[in-house]
Amino acid sequence: MSKSYYEILGVHKDASAEAIKKAYRKQAMKHHPDRNQGDAAAEEKFKEAAEAYEVLSDLQKRQIYDAYGKEGLRNSGYSGPGNSEDIFSHINDLFGDLFGFGGGGRGRRRDPNGPVPGEDLRYDIKISFMEAVHGINRQVEITKKETCWTCEGSGARPGNKPETCPTCHGRGQVIRSQGFFQVSTTCPRCNGAGQVITDPCTDCHGEGLISRSKKVSIRIPAGVDTGSRMRLSGEGEGGRRGGPSGDLYVVIHVDEHEHFQRDGQTIYLRLPVSMVRAALGCEADVPTIHDTAKLKIPAGAQSGERFTLRGEGVPSLRGGSKGDMVVEVQVQTPTKLTKDQKELLREFEALDKEHEEEGFFARLFHGHLGKQKKKSEDQEKVANG
Ligand code: ZN
């Protein structure tokens, strides 16, 4: 059977808190890892002593341990002895003066018993492409912790006062050793409050905060884009002990559109134009993010050619001018032709051949064709000569 915590520290079962502290200090100094580098047995004893002290130095834990043993501690919700953060927190309680650190002041960020501001919250919202362009009002339901009004965020049952935290002795911070370094961290017992609640508020179970879901109206302005952030002041989690509420950050995610693309305030659209209309030029009706617009396409427009429609883009978030829309022409080659259309295109092709020599093929084959021409001219001369 393993040793009892009393045996580990070498004290009597009725030992006073002072005697337990003294005994632990002796054990901890003897087996401290810094003094016994690489000695596994010493490290084990050091941990054992810390575990024993953690329980025996806390009146509540000691009472549970005396009555029900280690099993009882585990069943009563203590995270269990041997938690390394606690081990070192006790060391520093004891050796703070000795090693020249601790004793409050350093690493403390705020009055541990003062107001605690609420946490900021982040809410990600997905909206459609058009909602981003035109803006929209959305009501969302957010579950968040709000100040408990029964205890006004103190966590203590009304009429009761919180008591000084036994782990950090009200400092709110504990100092943990990592090799040569001493790192100051928030006390795990009281979460930096410096106080623990012995008679908790029944509504919030001592937390000072209550989870509630709340409907929040969000007005999303025209022109937002993926990654746009909005801050709703005071809509975050509630504060404790009179601290202000945090803020709610809404992060926008915009869906893609089937046809429109967007880069900042500029809208891009690929517009299919029939081969004939592209060749002859036309005035096309172009769908825009606002409505439709007329676009003059000059005769001979090619696939990939771009035209700009001023002011048909996305409005600026700060108000004021709208961006532009860039239309890229895509010339469509017909795939289903009637007999008559085929006939007309053949006629067109025949007429087109007359221009061929000035065209692309003529230039490409110029050298080759030229030589052939010269040859036949020579032959002609011979024949005539
Ligand atoms: Zn409460």
Side-chain angles (χ1 to χ4, degrees):
M1 205 188 142
S2 63
K3 282 186 190 173
S4 79
Y5 287 148
Y6 295 101
E7 285 165 342
I8 288 166
L9 294 182
V11 293
H12 194 264
K13 252 199 130 183
D14 302 322
S16 69
E18 197 51 45
I20 285 168
K21 195 169 176 176
K22 225 176 196 173
Y24 172 57
R25 186 196 277 254
K26 210 172 117 191
Q27 292 281 324
M29 280 182 90
K30 195 173 160 196
H31 302 299
H32 197 283
D34 287 353
R35 291 190 170 184
N36 302 274
Q37 297 246 325
D39 184 344
E43 196 183 325
E44 197 46 51
K45 281 189 173 152
F46 177 74
K47 281 183 182 164
E48 270 181 6
E51 185 182 320
Y53 180 68
E54 191 205 327
V55 172
L56 299 186
S57 63
D58 182 321
L59 193 60
Q60 213 170 346
K61 285 187 192 174
R62 187 176 172 182
Q63 279 169 354
I64 294 168
Y65 177 72
D66 286 347
Y68 308 106
K70 286 188 193 179
E71 192 67 24
L73 285 171
R74 242 170 268 127
N75 293 342
S76 57
Y78 288 108
S79 58
N83 170 332
S84 68
E85 261 190 49
D86 281 343
I87 290 172
F88 287 106
S89 76
H90 296 308
I91 292 293
N92 289 303
D93 288 348
L94 294 174
F95 299 125
D97 315 332
L98 225 77
F99 295 159
F101 56 77
R106 223 186 84 187
R108 199 200 296 187
R109 269 164 290 171
R110 56 171 187 242
D111 175 5
N113 303 318
V116 181
E119 297 281 325
D120 290 337
L121 289 179
R122 177 189 164 128
Y123 186 87
D124 289 78
I125 192 168
K126 209 169 180 170
I127 59 173
S128 76
F129 186 91
M130 286 304 188
E131 286 168 345
V133 165
H134 298 296
I136 189 175
N137 291 316
R138 269 285 178 87
Q139 203 177 52
V140 297
E141 200 164 315
I142 290 167
T143 304
K144 60 176 180 177
K145 287 175 176 171
E146 294 200 309
T147 308
C148 168
W149 294 117
T150 309
C151 61
E152 292 178 332
S154 74
R157 193 198 290 268
N160 269 273
K161 280 216 163 86
E163 284 169 21
T164 302
C165 172
T167 301
C168 64
H169 302 295
R171 286 200 296 271
Q173 297 274 313
V174 292
I175 296 164
R176 195 154 51 110
S177 296
Q178 286 180 342
F180 284 116
F181 300 101
Q182 266 82 41
V183 186
S184 180
T185 56
T186 304
C187 173
R189 177 80 189 271
C190 64
N191 286 320
Q195 293 184 324
V196 284
I197 286 139
T198 47
D199 192 7
C201 165
T202 48
D203 282 6
C204 64
H205 307 289
E207 217 196 332
L209 299 170
I210 286 184
S211 265
R212 284 202 190 97
S213 48
K214 191 186 169 189
K215 286 199 172 89
V216 180
S217 281
I218 306 171
R219 204 188 67 78
I220 299 168
V224 293
D225 207 345
T226 291
S228 295
R229 271 161 47 121
M230 294 164 57
R231 189 172 69 117
L232 277 75
S233 182
E235 291 289 0
E237 294 200 334
R240 284 182 291 145
R241 297 195 293 274
S245 294
D247 296 332
L248 173 67
Y249 286 90
V250 177
V251 182
I252 311 276
H253 301 267
V254 182
D255 271 339
E256 288 190 3
H257 193 273
E258 205 185 334
H259 302 295
F260 295 118
Q261 281 179 319
R262 176 178 168 187
D263 181 16
Q265 283 185 260
T266 310
I267 291 288
Y268 293 89
L269 176 74
R270 287 210 176 94
L271 183 73
V273 178
S274 81
M275 183 182 79
V276 177
R277 278 160 67 81
L280 299 175
C282 63
E283 194 177 59
D285 283 319
V286 181
T288 71
I289 55 170
H290 308 289
D291 188 15
T292 56
K294 298 268 185 209
L295 175 67
K296 258 193 160 42
I297 296 171
Q302 303 291 325
S303 254
E305 246 183 276
R306 290 178 162 201
F307 301 94
T308 300
L309 289 165
R310 299 253 168 250
E312 294 291 354
V314 182
S316 159
L317 255 181
R318 287 167 209 86
S321 62
K322 286 174 183 153
D324 296 333
M325 180 178 180
V326 176
V327 180
E328 186 180 305
V329 166
Q330 282 204 309
V331 177
Q332 306 284 292
T333 304
T335 50
K336 281 176 192 160
L337 292 169
T338 64
K339 214 180 143 200
D340 288 350
Q341 283 174 323
K342 277 182 190 166
E343 200 53 50
L344 279 167
L345 283 176
R346 280 198 192 97
E347 269 178 52
F348 174 80
E349 195 194 15
L351 287 167
D352 207 36
K353 265 191 177 161
E354 292 177 10
H355 302 292
E356 211 173 61
E357 269 187 66
E358 298 152 27
F360 170 74
F361 286 100
R363 285 200 301 278
L364 183 64
F365 293 119
H366 186 261
H368 178 68
L369 289 171
K371 266 179 211 159
Q372 272 202 335
K373 215 172 178 181
K374 208 170 170 245
K375 225 185 214 171
S376 56
E377 274 170 13
D378 289 345
Q379 278 170 351
E380 258 175 72
K381 271 183 195 164
V382 173
N384 293 340

